Amino acid sequence: AYPLKLQSKDPYDVSLADNFIREYNALYDMPEGPDKAGKQIDLEGNTLVKRFGCSNAHERLKNPDVKPIFANDADGLYLAYSLGNNYYAVLPTYKTYENTRHVMYALGEVFDSNYEGGAYKKIKVERPAIFVVSDDIWNLKEKGKLVLNK
């Protein structure tokens, strides 16, 4: 039937998360203290945000070749902003980016970055990772990109 609607190649619109990503990136320019902590809590408390983690992280510590399994976890290292249709723009939480998180918790498999070992306290999101969730299992659809600074 006419008129035909143009269909995006993707079943989601990542621009829905632009404000969330801008607010996330702005936190890293703020000095540590109660104002920054309050804004982090506000951002994580957004009704469109869920948290999940790598549920087999300890198994991956013994064998990093084990494929990560991502599942709902209120304390997980991933913040997921709803794009609708079970798709989410995903960012890491505000914790220091270091080797355990890069390998064991699979941040290195979810995000391309300039990680070269050591600890990075400043993280900027250039592109969120895209996940789709089904039956509480999170599946990576597109890797994100982070810029890390010490």
Side-chain angles (χ1 to χ4, degrees):
Y2 288 93
L4 295 176
K5 287 187 177 179
L6 293 176
Q7 296 292 318
S8 165
K9 70 177 182 68
D10 298 317
Y12 56 84
D13 179 2
V14 75
S15 70
L16 294 173
D18 284 352
N19 285 338
F20 182 72
I21 294 166
R22 243 187 317 277
E23 290 175 29
Y24 176 96
N25 283 339
L27 286 170
Y28 281 92
D29 295 327
M30 290 183 72
E32 294 297 327
D35 287 346
K36 181 175 181 175
K39 288 192 183 284
Q40 287 175 345
I41 291 168
D42 289 348
L43 200 58
E44 290 181 16
N46 183 311
T47 57
L48 295 175
V49 175
K50 293 186 178 188
R51 284 181 77 155
F52 68 95
C54 180
S55 62
N56 62 338
H58 292 289
E59 187 178 343
R60 289 176 49 77
L61 179 61
K62 296 175 195 154
N63 180 0
D65 294 328
V66 171
K67 185 178 180 207
I69 298 169
F70 300 102
N72 289 338
D73 180 348
D75 296 320
L77 290 181
Y78 297 91
L79 299 174
Y81 185 89
S82 177
L83 301 174
N85 298 320
N86 293 326
Y87 283 85
Y88 289 82
V90 173
L91 318 176
T93 58
Y94 303 103
K95 301 189 185 296
T96 301
Y97 192 112
E98 44 76 28
N99 191 58
T100 301
R101 291 181 176 96
H102 185 76
V103 177
M104 191 169 142
Y105 291 96
L107 285 172
E109 293 186 39
V110 174
F111 297 100
D112 290 326
S113 72
N114 58 315
Y115 182 73
E116 295 180 348
Y120 296 79
K121 294 200 180 262
K122 293 189 174 264
I123 303 168
K124 292 279 187 187
V125 175
E126 280 197 358
R127 183 178 65 250
I130 303 297
F131 276 75
V132 64
V133 66
S134 176
D135 297 325
D136 295 332
I137 299 298
W138 295 77
N139 297 293
L140 178 64
K141 291 298 175 193
E142 287 181 40
K143 283 181 87 168
K145 184 170 184 187
L146 305 174
V147 176
L148 307 171
N149 291 298
K150 296 188 179 199

